Amino acid sequence: MAASAAEPPAGGTDSAQGEGLSYEVSPPVDQTKAAPWYNQNLTLIGSKDISFGPRPNDDIYLEYEYFGRKGPFELYGYIDVPKILGIGNSHDSGAWDKGSPLFMEHEPRISIDELTGRKLGFGPFKEFYVAFDWIYDNGHNRDGRANTLYSGFGTDIETHSRVNLSANLYARRQWENYGAANENSWDGYRAQLKYIVPIDKYDNGASLTYIGFTNFDFGSDLHDQAGPARTANATVATNVLLYSFTHLRFMAVGRYFHNGGNWKDGTELDFGDGPFKGRSDGWGYYFGVGYQF
């Protein structure tokens, strides 16, 4: 069924507008933990002008994050509870007001080098992976729900500097997508670049790190299926400053959206509550305080 201007927006009023910050940074190994390779954080995050749909969301939500490497398995993921304090703008809904009670993303990679017992890297490419990215929004109803799997290959890249660089290239399998026209189809691709730069360490035991990643989605059929309000391409570029102690963490994030959620910026839309002009380009911001354990 083709999407219409009256459909709920991707990441709209019933969605968590998630896609986490992916700000994993390897801390000093705590040998007292049951699994020293496995790291966990709990963070309270405030967000403003987040444009995964045509109406930017403000929210305060709770995020559980995990990351680590064990043998060939590299793990990263998070689970969000949207609007946990009941605070958000008029387009935001969450666990307590018939919105999404849960938004999650899991990004495992499996080392092909370790599975085969061979060093397959060459030139600047240090190691190769089978890579996945599963995003699930458990919306209040079907039109508020999304289920997306990206699958493909990844690599770590030698920069001969302090910069840690990795890249992934995925194909997208779209199941539920807030009622959009590309549901239950293979629809497009994602190129992803992640970069981490340690900035400084301080006498009080803290460290400052820059973490960034860019997702470029391309090749979607949404523009052809649903009309000029939707786009074939979308870009999200995330920039994180993380100030962290062994356990306590503070972060400030600037995230730039272009065609966020495959919505064309400036399009005249009406979702049943009056016409408005979509805003899917521009900056959004996050601030958070968390505890690593």
Side-chain angles (χ1 to χ4, degrees), residues 108-131:
R109 300 200 303 177
I110 305 170
S111 170
I112 301 173
D113 295 46
E114 290 211 26
L115 286 180
T116 60
R118 299 189 177 194
K119 289 188 66 68
L120 302 176
F122 62 91
F125 305 108
K126 298 190 293 183
E127 189 172 1
F128 291 98
Y129 303 84
V130 179

Side-chain angles (χ1 to χ4, degrees), residues 156-176:
D156 294 332
I157 301 171
E158 179 60 68
T159 65
H160 301 288
S161 70
R162 294 189 302 166
V163 179
N164 296 299
L165 187 63
S166 65
N168 301 301
L169 181 63
Y170 305 104
R172 178 169 64 187
R173 174 62 183 179
Q174 187 67 66
W175 289 290
E176 294 159 304

Side-chain angles (χ1 to χ4, degrees), residues 5 229 266-270 275-278:
T267 304
E268 293 289 339
L269 299 167
D270 190 340
F276 68 96
K277 182 175 290 188

